[in-house]
Amino acid sequence: MAAAQGRFSDGADGMDSGKESSVPLPFRRAVEGLGKARLRPGIEIDPARPPQRLAPYAHALEAAVVEGEDDLADGRLILLHDPAGHEAWRGTFRLVTLVRAELEPEMAADPLLPEVCWSWLTGALEARGLSYGEASGTVTMAGSHYFGGLAGRRPATQIEIRASWTPREGVGGVPDTSGHLAAWCELLCQVAGLPPLGPGESGPGVVSLPQRRGPHHP
């Protein structure tokens, strides 16, 4: 199990800061919940500097799906909290993510790929019985062709998923951040081309594509 850590938006690291008493209890418990997530092997997760102006409190993590020396996919997950609530969120918490990976040409040619990628996110949340609302996002693909000194590289297509959603709050106004982190990591693994964890864990509406090979190097 990887340890999930991060920082508050005011710059205080972890939970040992002298400013801990000024941090709302629901946010502290939500951050603690991230550290309890059980993640599948092959995922490396590290703290990241959170954005400073999106919400009064923020906590960020960076993760990568690693196979040997290759990063098959990487991304960032940010937990935002506004104790006063946010009209657009329809809640006091918000999860924001960016996921990136390089695809094989045959996968990139699939016209349904954007819909499939979005289904990986919603399906991973639903498979864990997680309630959420106000989900929104984009799926972007960009192709690269190489010339001159880089002509030896194969054409490549990168996919980028940007999304945000409001996790429903439970007891004490705290969302199940452990479950949401696990679901997000499953999205990361799906984009990397790894198979689902097992029968029944993909969730309804999740569509699997052929396993993707690792990124190519010159």
Side-chain angles (χ1 to χ4, degrees):
M1 179 172 66
Q5 303 175 8
R7 298 185 176 91
F8 297 119
S9 60
D10 61 7
D13 292 345
M15 287 296 173
D16 297 326
S17 167
K19 297 182 180 181
E20 177 181 349
S21 60
S22 67
V23 177
L25 182 58
F27 181 69
R28 281 190 278 140
R29 288 182 173 171
V31 172
E32 290 169 0
L34 291 171
K36 298 176 182 178
R38 297 187 62 85
L39 309 181
R40 65 188 286 177
I43 297 177
E44 295 184 357
I45 192 164
D46 294 295
R49 180 169 296 279
Q52 301 293 310
R53 298 181 177 86
L54 294 182
Y57 302 94
H59 185 90
L61 300 170
E62 290 182 344
V65 179
V66 179
E67 185 177 83
E69 297 182 355
D70 291 331
D71 286 359
L72 303 184
D74 63 78
R76 168 178 283 207
L77 183 68
I78 303 170
L79 175 67
L80 303 176
H81 179 56
D82 186 341
H86 195 290
E87 183 178 357
W89 302 353
R90 296 186 181 274
T92 63
F93 284 91
R94 188 74 171 172
L95 284 162
V96 180
T97 185
L98 166 65
V99 172
R100 297 168 298 196
E102 183 176 313
L103 301 177
E104 288 297 311
E106 59 268 24
M107 292 181 65
D110 189 333
L112 296 179
L113 183 63
E115 288 82 0
V116 169
C117 289
W118 186 255
S119 80
W120 284 339
L121 171 60
T122 58
L125 294 170
E126 292 162 8
R128 288 164 177 76
L130 298 169
S131 297
Y132 65 95
E134 308 307 314
S136 61
T138 62
V139 177
T140 305
M141 291 188 294
S144 298
H145 295 264
Y146 301 97
F147 302 94
L150 300 177
R153 292 189 180 185
R154 292 180 56 183
T157 299
Q158 294 79 33
I159 189 164
E160 180 179 279
I161 304 171
R162 293 179 180 268
S164 63
W165 65 96
T166 298
R168 293 308 182 204
E169 299 161 15
V171 178
V174 182
D176 180 6
T177 49
S178 174
H180 282 272
L181 175 57
W184 177 73
C185 285
E186 185 61 25
L187 165 67
L188 203 63
C189 290
Q190 292 271 19
V191 173
L194 302 184
L197 286 174
E201 294 189 31
S202 301
V206 176
V207 181
S208 296
L209 291 180
Q211 184 167 343
R212 184 175 67 85
R213 298 187 295 274
H216 296 281
H217 302 284

